[in-house]
Amino acid sequence: MAEAVFHPPRRKRRVFESYEAPFPVDVGGKDFRLCQAEIINNNVIVRNPEDIEQLYNKGYFGKGILSRSRPVFSISDPLLVAKWRGINTNMPIITSQKYQRRVQWAKSVLQEQGLDDCSITKILQNYTKPLGLPFSREDGAEQTGDSCTRGDPKPGNAELSRKSAQSPEGQNGDSEEGGDAAVGPDSGSREQEQGDPGQQEQGDPREMAEGSSHSDPPVLSGCEMKQSPEQRAWEGMDSRECAPEYVLVQEEEEGSSCPEDDSTHAQENLVKKEVLVCRKNPFRIFEYLQLSLEEAFFLVYALGCLSIYYGEEPLSIVKLWEVFSEVKPDFKTTYMAYHYFRGKGWVPKVGLKYGTDLLLYRKGPPFYHASYSVIAELVDDNFEGPLRRPLSWMSLSGLNRTTANASKELMLCYLIRPSDMTAEEMSTPECMKRIKVQELIVTRWVSSRERSEQDEF
């Protein structure tokens, strides 16, 4: 048998973050934090922002449900943020088309709750009216207004203006107590909202209770509206989901550049001015962290820094082992491989994109490309047993070619269990103490290269 050659991982050229820790646990124990997750539609979801930051930044566990990897989703338009960079604000900036789309989503949710069109129109008009919030210019001067007017398309000439008619919420100071909604995507941090939901007007919808990739229906809640069963199920949400979110909407208003009375030239002199109007977001979408079953169980069983709830009760380790095995029939095999490689210092991620079980990263995806694509199989002492993925020579060659084209190597991970191990022993994670691991790297044999090497001898 040929000896396997291990190639060094390929480091990414541009790295914009520093490496913190391989695991989200404190070695000294002083700053130990027990995170919390929930099982929703057979998925493990983490919703607390502090828990999300802890789990992803230290060990790169999970992925954002609305992001490619790191949970940094923001509703801000990057082009508008760059365009209005002269305005010193942390609120997201979106176009009027995107804002109207969210208004339609909120309208659909209210219709599902049985409200008539007249009530829905009144609620949305009252909720989405312009607000007066303080803005800060780059020079440090602070001004207050309902909109931010942009007369010159150049970013450096951004100006602030104040309309004569102030909204009631802007006069009573409600906007100052409600915090800024989010940060732009260039900052690299997730949305943070503050505010007091009790100061909202009666009859207005509070906010969207849920908007995510899983199939739980979003619910609009109001101060005096009757709660639906879905609303009562989501009463335990954190404060950021109940606080109002303020956004800056870029809108167009027509104004005359030359005050001429001649009507023939009136239309020619009309120019469109772009303004930023502060409004409340009627349909909020939150970024959550989704953990794979292997990642979730490793955090519970190996590190003890995560508690997974189903309903109101946390599940024990044995119960999680049983539940995850029912949800994913080959969970035991894939978790054993995940546990093994995590213990060796690798960062395993789901390898579905390349047709395998796991992808192995050194330190984490931000620093290195994946080095290996892993297929895990559970066999007995004689390397026999029902294979999860029986590979023919053709399928193995195709999988190897796909892996090689992505600059990775294909690895077969055989989990060897003793022949006398019973099904009862496999019903608990303690069975891993008797499991042995055999790694096999699949490489392509080139006959011409083999002959040239033989001729050298």
Side-chain angles (χ1 to χ4, degrees), residues 16 72 74 76-83 85 183-189:
F16 302 98
V72 292
S74 175
S76 288
D77 190 337
L79 297 179
L80 293 183
V81 173
K83 180 180 179 181
R85 61 177 178 266
V183 294
D186 297 336
S187 63
S189 61

Side-chain angles (χ1 to χ4, degrees), residues 83-84 96-97 130 145-152 159-165 249-257 266-267 269-279:
K83 180 180 179 181
W84 294 89
S96 59
Q97 292 81 3
D146 286 347
S147 63
C148 172
T149 307
R150 186 185 189 86
D152 195 328
E159 297 179 357
L160 298 177
S161 66
R162 180 175 182 177
K163 294 183 180 179
S164 58
V249 184
Q250 177 178 281
E251 300 178 356
E252 294 180 353
E253 70 173 11
E254 293 183 354
S256 178
S257 60
Q267 297 295 331
N269 294 329
L270 289 178
V271 294
K272 293 182 178 180
K273 295 182 180 179
E274 295 176 345
V275 296
L276 288 181
V277 181
C278 181
R279 301 178 186 272

Side-chain angles (χ1 to χ4, degrees), residues 292-295 328 331 333-342 346-361 370-377 388-389 403 408-413 415:
S292 67
L293 300 183
E294 292 80 9
E295 291 173 327
K328 186 177 180 180
F331 167 75
T333 302
T334 56
Y335 176 74
M336 291 178 187
Y338 181 93
H339 189 104
Y340 172 78
F341 288 113
R342 263 289 183 180
W346 294 95
V347 177
K349 306 297 289 187
V350 177
L352 183 62
K353 182 178 180 180
Y354 298 100
T356 57
D357 297 321
L358 299 173
L359 294 176
L360 301 184
Y361 293 86
S371 300
Y372 300 99
S373 297
V374 182
I375 294 180
E377 293 287 356
R388 299 172 45 250
R389 302 177 56 176
T403 305
K408 298 172 179 51
E409 293 185 87
L410 180 62
M411 178 186 297
L412 303 180
C413 178
L415 304 164

Side-chain angles (χ1 to χ4, degrees), residues 37-49:
E38 301 173 71
I39 297 180
I40 302 176
N41 293 340
N42 295 334
N43 296 314
V44 181
I45 301 295
V46 181
R47 298 192 293 173
N48 190 311

Side-chain angles (χ1 to χ4, degrees), residues 16-88:
F16 302 98
E17 59 184 276
S18 58
Y19 183 71
E20 291 191 21
F23 298 120
V25 293
D26 183 27
V27 178
K30 297 180 180 179
D31 298 330
F32 177 79
R33 177 183 179 87
L34 182 62
C35 302
Q36 181 175 333
E38 301 173 71
I39 297 180
I40 302 176
N41 293 340
N42 295 334
N43 296 314
V44 181
I45 301 295
V46 181
R47 298 192 293 173
N48 190 311
E50 296 180 358
D51 294 344
I52 292 175
E53 183 178 1
Q54 179 82 1
L55 295 178
Y56 191 87
N57 291 348
K58 297 182 179 180
Y60 300 97
F61 291 88
K63 69 173 295 294
I65 61 175
L66 301 175
S67 304
R68 185 174 181 179
S69 181
R70 176 181 291 276
V72 292
F73 172 78
S74 175
I75 65 174
S76 288
D77 190 337
L79 297 179
L80 293 183
V81 173
K83 180 180 179 181
W84 294 89
R85 61 177 178 266
I87 305 301
N88 185 15

Side-chain angles (χ1 to χ4, degrees), residues 112-113 209 217-219 226-235:
E112 293 178 359
Q113 295 183 356
V219 179
K226 295 182 179 180
Q227 287 188 339
S228 63
E230 291 85 356
Q231 287 174 304
R232 291 191 294 268
W234 291 99
E235 286 180 349

Side-chain angles (χ1 to χ4, degrees), residues 63-328:
K63 69 173 295 294
I65 61 175
L66 301 175
S67 304
R68 185 174 181 179
S69 181
R70 176 181 291 276
V72 292
F73 172 78
S74 175
I75 65 174
S76 288
D77 190 337
L79 297 179
L80 293 183
V81 173
K83 180 180 179 181
W84 294 89
R85 61 177 178 266
I87 305 301
N88 185 15
T89 180
N90 289 330
M91 287 184 291
I93 305 176
I94 61 177
T95 61
S96 59
Q97 292 81 3
K98 290 185 177 180
Y99 187 80
Q100 291 301 323
R101 189 184 307 165
R102 295 176 184 275
V103 173
Q104 292 298 325
W105 292 343
K107 182 178 180 180
S108 301
V109 174
L110 291 174
Q111 289 176 347
E112 293 178 359
Q113 295 183 356
L115 297 179
D116 57 283
D117 294 341
C118 182
S119 300
I120 293 175
T121 303
K122 184 177 180 180
I123 289 175
L124 292 179
Q125 286 180 352
N126 193 24
Y127 191 80
T128 60
K129 59 186 178 182
L131 304 175
L133 288 180
F135 295 93
S136 298
R137 301 186 63 176
E138 289 182 340
D139 56 2
E142 207 174 87
Q143 300 186 18
T144 305
D146 286 347
S147 63
C148 172
T149 307
R150 186 185 189 86
D152 195 328
K154 294 182 180 180
N157 296 332
E159 297 179 357
L160 298 177
S161 66
R162 180 175 182 177
K163 294 183 180 179
S164 58
Q166 292 283 349
S167 63
E169 293 184 1
Q171 295 176 356
N172 60 20
D174 175 52
S175 59
E176 295 182 359
E177 293 184 9
D180 292 343
V183 294
D186 297 336
S187 63
S189 61
R190 66 181 59 84
E191 300 179 7
Q192 297 177 352
E193 297 86 7
Q194 299 174 353
D196 186 2
Q199 293 187 357
Q200 300 182 21
E201 297 181 359
Q202 294 182 356
D204 288 350
R206 214 180 249 181
E207 290 301 331
M208 288 311 304
E210 185 70 19
S212 61
S213 60
H214 54 75
S215 60
D216 293 304
V219 179
L220 246 165
S221 60
C223 295
E224 293 184 351
M225 295 171 59
K226 295 182 179 180
Q227 287 188 339
S228 63
E230 291 85 356
Q231 287 174 304
R232 291 191 294 268
W234 291 99
E235 286 180 349
M237 293 183 300
D238 51 35
S239 59
R240 72 163 188 154
E241 301 182 5
C242 299
E245 179 186 28
Y246 299 95
V247 296
L248 295 177
V249 184
Q250 177 178 281
E251 300 178 356
E252 294 180 353
E253 70 173 11
E254 293 183 354
S256 178
S257 60
C258 299
E260 298 180 359
D261 297 330
D262 190 359
S263 60
T264 58
H265 300 283
Q267 297 295 331
E268 299 178 359
N269 294 329
L270 289 178
V271 294
K272 293 182 178 180
K273 295 182 180 179
E274 295 176 345
V275 296
L276 288 181
V277 181
C278 181
R279 301 178 186 272
K280 288 183 180 179
N281 184 10
F283 190 97
R284 301 179 62 186
I285 300 178
F286 296 98
E287 175 80 288
Y288 297 139
L289 187 72
Q290 180 177 358
L291 300 173
S292 67
L293 300 183
E294 292 80 9
E295 291 173 327
F297 194 82
F298 182 85
L299 292 170
V300 176
Y301 173 71
L303 301 182
C305 63
L306 181 68
S307 180
I308 300 179
Y309 285 74
Y310 184 75
E312 298 180 355
E313 294 293 332
L315 300 181
S316 63
I317 293 177
V318 177
K319 186 63 177 179
L320 283 174
W321 183 265
E322 178 184 349
V323 171
F324 288 171
S325 299
E326 294 178 358
V327 174
K328 186 177 180 180

